[in-house]
Structure formats: structure tokens, C-alpha cells
Amino acid sequence: MEIILCAIGKIARDQHIPAIAASKDWDLVATVSRSGGVDGVPGYTNINDALEAHPDVQVYSLCHPAAPRYDVAKTLIANGKDVMLEKPPGATLAEIFDLERRARDAGVSLYATWHSRQADGVQGAADWLKSRTITRAHITWREDVRLWHPGQDWVFDPGGMGVFDPGINALSILTHILPDPVHLTDATLEFPSNRAMPIAADLTFSGHVTADFDWRQEGPQTWEIEVETTDGTLILKDGGARLFIDGQDQNATGMGEYPALYAQMADLVRDRKSNVDLAPMIHLSDAFTLGRRKTVDAFEF
């Protein structure tokens, strides 16, 4: 199948382009981006130019930041195209509800991707927890924003989500592996005095679940979820890539996060289905609704 990739930034170059190149399902035929492209395929700066030049291409993958993604997705759906959305699927829940409705009415596939759910250890964790009673769970998601988003001020602008940009990856795993849903009950969000979005968050959920997000960690990065049950303890490390049960490495393997996403998109397109799970975004929205604001030192890149 042919596909057009939109917004050729860091995530596109690091993950999407290699995943498409390695896939037996996809053939990258063009890009749409205001900066950068891919050698060997036509590049456009406007989505309408791509639609006009490639009327037979059915599938588009969007890597834009969340804020501008809605208008591009709406245009594509109006033209009868299947759309794959990088996480988070939009800047607001209302946007995604609207895109879901439009896709349903147009009879096209819409895929709201959560790449961290495809990490090697995640499905094994979900399978193990399915028949067990959870007594406590804690997320520690601490990384260095200067390392992952160097100089990218937009991550602290409205719509950029701040520390929830990586934190929503943890929430996407949590909502996948827990056998029963939880809801947020309390939150404290730390906002740098010169920024519109938080740099850290402490979250408390029902079911004895807590989370610690921080974007100021230097040195080794920490992406870990620990779940205690009446039958033992499960730990997901390295963003879900490694699964430990009672201290034993389960040596989980898989095809990789983004290759798995593109394999799922191929299945959705073939079956004429959509997959739009908004559970992680609901937790994020609740955090901004319930969260107490705490002002902390100014942050500069």
C-alpha cells in the first residue's frame, strides 16, 4: 500500500521513516512538510498540493505536533483518506471526538496511535495482570527535556502538554495493562514561572495507583511502572521494553514500537476499521481539571 508521511521532524526521521522502509505493507510515495523531506520521493509543503498530485494514495500518516494536526486530519478525511495520528492524537478531546465522527461518516480508517503500548514487554504485562488482584501500582517517568526536545519551546506552549508529552506514554501503557480502569482523584502540577505548561506532575488514581512525572532529570533516564499484586510484583522498565516478574527478566521480544504501529494500520485499512482509544487523554484532561498549580523556578533550554 502507498502512504504519504506528513511533518518530517525528529520523530518522523527517528521512527516513522525507518518503520515504513522496513515494512512489507507500505511504500512511501511522498512527504508533506514545511521543512525537510525524504530523498527519492516528492516533497510538498501543503497538504492540498499532495492531494492534487497523488489522488490515488489512500493513506496518510501525520507526525505534526498535536495543535496543528486537527486541521490537516480534517482535510484528509473530507477527501476520503485514511489517517494515522502520532500521539497524542490531538490537542483536545473534542478535536478527536470530531475526527472520529467525521471518519465514521466518511467510511475511512482513523488510527490514534500510542507507540509505547507496542513496547516489547507491554502485552506480556497485560496478559500476566489479567487474572490477578492489584494492590498497588506506581509510575516513575523522569527524563531530561533538554535531551529529547532541545530548544523546542513549543513543548511548553499551550497544546504542547509539557511533561505530559512523555507522561502520556506512561498513561497509554497503564491504561492497556490494568485489567480494570482507574480514574484520577488528585494531582499537583509544577509550572515553571515562565512557562504555560507543567514541567512535573504528581498524580493519584483510584485503585492505589500513583505516578511521578518530571522533565528535569539529568543523567540516566527513568521510565518504569511497578505493579504489586497478591501473586507477586511486575515491573516494566525502559519505557515498557523490559518486563520483570518477581525480579526475573522475561526477555520479552517484539517487532518494535513503530513497526508494530504500521502493521496495525495496514490491518485497519484492509479491514476498513478504526482504532481510537482516548483513555490516556482522558487522564491528561482530568489532571488539568483537578490539578493544583504549583509555581517553580523558571526554565530555560
Side-chain angles (χ1 to χ4, degrees), residues 47-100:
I47 195 66
N48 291 310
D49 292 340
L51 285 165
E52 182 177 355
H54 302 274
D56 296 331
V57 177
Q58 182 61 31
V59 184
Y60 284 71
S61 178
L62 308 188
C63 304
H64 312 76
R69 196 179 300 142
Y70 168 77
D71 287 336
V72 178
K74 184 172 69 171
T75 296
L76 291 169
I77 291 170
N79 282 271
K81 304 303 183 182
D82 302 310
V83 179
M84 179 174 175
L85 304 170
E86 175 60 78
K87 69 86 187 172
T92 69
L93 287 167
E95 286 184 355
I96 311 308
F97 285 134
D98 184 61
L99 291 179
E100 187 176 23

Side-chain angles (χ1 to χ4, degrees), residues 10-278:
K10 188 176 190 305
I11 192 65
R13 295 194 180 281
D14 289 351
Q15 301 293 346
H16 289 261
I17 293 169
I20 293 170
S23 172
K24 61 181 177 57
D25 295 307
W26 299 105
D27 179 21
L28 181 64
V29 298
T31 63
V32 182
S33 184
R34 290 182 298 178
S35 60
V38 176
D39 291 342
V41 300
Y44 306 91
T45 58
N46 184 284
I47 195 66
N48 291 310
D49 292 340
L51 285 165
E52 182 177 355
H54 302 274
D56 296 331
V57 177
Q58 182 61 31
V59 184
Y60 284 71
S61 178
L62 308 188
C63 304
H64 312 76
R69 196 179 300 142
Y70 168 77
D71 287 336
V72 178
K74 184 172 69 171
T75 296
L76 291 169
I77 291 170
N79 282 271
K81 304 303 183 182
D82 302 310
V83 179
M84 179 174 175
L85 304 170
E86 175 60 78
K87 69 86 187 172
T92 69
L93 287 167
E95 286 184 355
I96 311 308
F97 285 134
D98 184 61
L99 291 179
E100 187 176 23
R101 176 187 61 80
R102 290 173 184 272
R104 183 172 58 250
D105 292 346
V108 300
S109 296
L110 180 67
Y111 185 18
T113 69
W114 300 104
H115 66 82
S116 290
R117 287 182 175 176
Q118 310 304 322
D120 290 348
V122 171
Q123 188 55 51
D127 293 341
W128 190 82
L129 290 172
K130 192 177 300 182
S131 60
R132 287 171 168 81
T133 300
I134 295 171
T135 57
R136 187 189 77 90
H138 183 70
I139 300 169
T140 305
W141 222 255
R142 290 172 161 258
E143 64 180 51
D144 185 354
V145 63
R146 291 185 175 96
L147 177 63
W148 300 100
H149 294 280
Q152 296 178 28
D153 289 298
W154 66 264
V155 298
F156 286 109
D157 291 338
M161 300 199 310
V163 75
F164 286 98
D165 176 81
I168 205 168
N169 295 333
L171 296 177
S172 73
I173 295 174
L174 183 77
T175 52
H176 185 70
I177 66 174
L178 293 185
D180 298 304
V182 296
H183 62 272
L184 193 76
T185 60
D186 189 64
T188 298
L189 311 182
E190 297 187 11
F191 287 76
S193 59
N194 61 335
R195 300 291 180 174
M197 289 287 111
I199 199 167
D202 287 313
L203 310 177
T204 301
F205 299 85
S206 61
H208 306 288
V209 178
T210 54
D212 164 25
F213 299 161
D214 202 312
W215 233 355
R216 298 167 296 195
Q217 176 146 313
E218 299 178 359
Q221 311 286 275
T222 305
W223 303 289
E224 185 170 299
I225 300 176
E226 180 177 6
V227 185
E228 296 177 3
T229 78
T230 54
D231 296 316
T233 299
L234 174 153
I235 301 177
L236 281 167
K237 295 186 177 183
D238 300 337
R242 301 178 66 197
L243 171 61
F244 294 81
I245 296 175
D246 291 333
Q248 298 298 309
D249 192 338
Q250 302 302 297
N251 297 310
T253 58
M255 68 170 61
E257 295 180 11
Y258 282 83
L261 292 180
Y262 277 95
Q264 288 195 9
M265 184 61 180
D267 289 340
L268 290 172
V269 171
R270 281 190 285 261
D271 296 339
R272 308 312 306 152
K273 293 182 178 180
S274 291
N275 183 338
V276 183
D277 179 6
L278 296 180

